[in-house]
Amino acid sequence: MFPDHTLADHEETTPAAGGRTPAAADDETAIRELIERWVRAVDAGDLSETVADHADDVVMFDVPPPAEGVRGLDAYRAAWPEFLQWQAQGARFELTSLEVTAGEDVAFAHALLRCGTSEELARDPRNRLRLTFGLRRQDGRWVIAHEHHSFPTVEGDSDSGSAEVRALHGRWFLDTAAGDLDALMAPIADDVVSYEHEQPLQYVGADSVRQVCRRGLEASSERVTWDVPDLKIVARGDLAVGWGLNRVRIERSDGSAVEHWSRGTRVFQRIDGSWQMIHQHVSYPYDPESGIARTDLRP
């Protein structure tokens, strides 16, 4: 017979189902709960909880640039506000699967999430955000040292450039809602040529387009947002084209809202490692009998 203390020690180190020790199973449970908290925090738009349980030297490879990743806790924190603003507009961030493997001092996990607006998820219900986590035990607790986020290439998209241009649009939508003119202009090339709704026939150069954007933001004292629900993107090398129906929404202080729809095509070029819009063409269809632009049409 084993002495009592020897038997107890033997029971504590007996592998659990699947070959894991009880200690490893406990660590995997703790890591699972940590990641589930993180998902709930992102979904709720809680920045402080989103960055909690991350290492000071965390590295995140995200869907949008920079290509070298976001490095350090301060940069990680700064990367989230725009996404959380978009999230607060009704998008979903919902965990669908999570697998965790824990060692003594390091661990990794991979997960799939439903991430998108209701329109995006309805259009492509099988699409998932893919995440990989690297964790380490630090000062007696688990912290996330690395995150890698990606979407699979969607139909019609040719390479990572499509995801980057799609993310650029997402930032535009958020910057419009925030009324941030400088951020709106950041991805617009100096020599852009834009065919706007109003005269003249063309606007040449970023300064002239900036004035159009400024007028748009200042035209209403109410909250103005825009998006392209049916956005299509094709990218080849350093060139990309995006097109779809523009939806501009004005939310009034009394709770009502008005929407206007138009058509938009935008051309992008990768310049010095980042995508910039080099051409834009937006228009309304017109009534051939009256010659008047139809701004009241809906898809």
Side-chain angles (χ1 to χ4, degrees):
M1 295 288 292
F2 289 105
D4 289 346
H5 71 276
T6 306
L7 179 59
D9 290 344
H10 172 76
E11 290 173 345
E12 289 175 359
T13 57
T14 299
R20 297 176 300 164
T21 66
D26 289 344
D27 284 332
E28 290 173 9
T29 297
I31 291 168
R32 177 178 294 275
E33 292 173 351
L34 183 158
I35 293 172
E36 289 173 346
R37 285 197 306 273
W38 176 83
V39 171
R40 290 194 299 270
V42 173
D43 190 51
D46 187 333
L47 179 59
S48 63
E49 285 299 313
T50 297
V51 302
D53 299 314
H54 283 74
D56 289 340
D57 58 350
V58 62
V59 175
M60 175 174 67
F61 296 160
D62 204 0
V63 174
E68 64 272 17
V70 172
R71 296 172 182 269
L73 191 58
D74 289 342
Y76 181 84
R77 180 182 292 107
W80 279 103
E82 286 189 358
F83 181 88
L84 297 181
Q85 290 175 27
W86 170 80
Q87 183 73 24
Q89 297 177 25
R92 299 177 66 178
F93 197 78
E94 177 183 271
L95 189 67
T96 62
S97 70
L98 174 61
E99 298 292 334
V100 178
T101 301
E104 183 176 350
D105 293 313
V106 295
F108 76 90
H110 53 87
L112 296 175
L113 293 93
R114 285 164 53 83
C115 176
T117 64
S118 297
E119 293 89 348
E120 290 169 338
L121 295 174
R123 188 164 58 246
D124 190 1
R126 295 180 299 173
N127 196 26
R128 295 290 183 270
L129 175 64
R130 304 174 297 189
L131 289 94
T132 299
F133 299 88
L135 303 98
R136 68 171 180 254
R137 196 190 304 273
Q138 180 175 299
D139 298 328
R141 68 187 186 98
W142 289 101
V143 295
I144 297 172
H146 176 57
E147 291 177 25
H148 190 160
H149 309 177
S150 74
F151 281 106
T153 301
V154 300
E155 185 177 355
D157 289 358
S158 60
D159 60 18
S160 62
S162 299
E164 293 170 359
V165 172
R166 192 174 295 277
L168 184 158
H169 279 79
R171 293 194 298 274
W172 260 340
F173 304 153
L174 292 172
D175 295 335
T176 300
D180 191 335
L181 180 59
D182 289 337
L184 284 172
M185 293 301 302
I188 296 179
D190 290 341
D191 58 351
V192 64
V193 176
S194 184
Y195 299 162
E196 299 286 344
H197 291 122
E198 67 269 21
Q199 59 183 358
L201 285 174
Q202 63 179 2
Y203 288 79
V204 179
D207 289 342
S208 62
V209 173
R210 184 184 184 89
Q211 296 309 312
V212 176
C213 294
R214 182 191 301 277
R215 289 197 299 271
L217 292 175
E218 295 177 349
S220 174
S221 60
E222 314 292 348
R223 184 170 184 266
V224 179
T225 62
W226 79 286
D227 65 341
V228 185
D230 64 338
L231 179 63
K232 305 293 190 302
I233 297 173
V234 171
R236 295 288 186 274
D238 288 336
L239 289 175
V241 180
W243 69 95
L245 297 178
N246 307 310
R247 174 172 59 186
V248 176
R249 181 179 176 87
I250 302 174
E251 300 176 3
R252 295 170 172 162
S253 56
D254 63 4
S256 63
V258 294
E259 287 186 355
H260 298 288
W261 293 79
S262 66
R263 304 169 296 189
T265 301
R266 297 169 182 89
V267 182
F268 302 86
Q269 183 177 6
R270 201 191 324 252
I271 301 173
D272 296 330
S274 64
W275 288 98
Q276 297 187 26
M277 187 182 78
I278 60 174
H279 177 58
Q280 174 178 238
H281 188 164
V282 293
S283 70
Y284 295 109
Y286 83 103
D287 183 337
E289 294 184 1
S290 66
I292 296 175
R294 295 293 305 274
T295 62
D296 60 329
L297 299 180
R298 302 291 184 272

